[in-house]
């Protein structure tokens, strides 16, 4: 497995474990369902143009807040801003807390299980 692919998958496992309590198997199911495992085999994968967390944002948006493209784009921007303001060098626990605070503004929380 190329190093960058292993790095992305490892990061996704950490993100989903910290954010949604997913097992490695659940994360790998998500990776395969999105075709990311095959995409990362490519020399010029579009995935590499953004950090691993960028590709996970939709999993953190409750269905009730996915009523319009504009709303989803706004929430994705908020999720990215929170990411940029949070130290995630070791884990995503602080990021999760800040995302929960943001979702509380909508009387929502993280989805229980997206996969």
């Amino acid at each position: 497995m190329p190093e960058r692919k292993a790095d992305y998958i490892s990061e996704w496992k950490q993100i989903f474990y910290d954010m949604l309590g997913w097992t490695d198997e659940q994360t790998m199911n998500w990776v395969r369902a999105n075709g990311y495992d095959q995409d990362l085999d490519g020399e010029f994968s579009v995935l590499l143009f953004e950090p691993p967390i960028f590709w996970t944002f939709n999993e953190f948006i409750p269905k009730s807040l996915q009523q319009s493209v504009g709303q989803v784009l706004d929430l994705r921007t908020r999720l990215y801003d929170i990411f940029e303001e949070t130290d995630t060098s070791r884990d995503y626990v602080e990021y999760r807390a800040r995302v929960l605070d943001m979702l509380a503004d909508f009387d929502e929380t993280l989805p229980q299980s997206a996969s």
Side-chain angles (χ1 to χ4, degrees), residues 12-111:
W12 284 326
K13 287 178 180 178
Q14 184 69 51
I15 291 166
F16 283 124
Y17 177 77
D18 289 344
M19 295 296 293
L20 302 176
W22 285 8
T23 65
D24 287 356
E25 182 179 348
Q26 287 173 296
T27 298
M28 289 309 299
N29 289 340
W30 175 86
V31 168
R32 286 188 288 275
N34 286 289
Y36 294 161
D37 55 336
Q38 293 176 352
D39 193 279
L40 285 168
D41 286 333
E43 188 174 342
F44 301 106
S45 173
V46 69
L47 299 176
L48 301 174
F49 289 94
E50 297 290 348
I53 195 159
F54 178 86
W55 305 105
T56 66
F57 290 152
N58 288 351
E59 302 302 330
F60 308 145
I61 301 172
K63 297 285 185 218
S64 66
L65 299 180
Q66 296 181 21
Q67 301 306 310
S68 71
V69 171
Q71 185 175 34
V72 170
L73 291 175
D74 176 61
L75 290 168
R76 287 181 58 84
T77 298
R78 290 178 185 213
L79 289 166
Y80 196 84
D81 290 346
I82 294 168
F83 168 71
E84 287 191 322
E85 298 166 357
T86 307
D87 178 10
T88 58
S89 59
R90 290 182 305 171
D91 59 38
Y92 289 82
V93 174
E94 180 185 347
Y95 179 76
R96 182 181 194 280
R98 296 190 68 200
V99 169
L100 286 170
D101 286 344
M102 184 267 296
L103 290 173
D105 292 342
F106 299 94
D107 293 322
E108 280 290 352
T109 189
L110 286 165

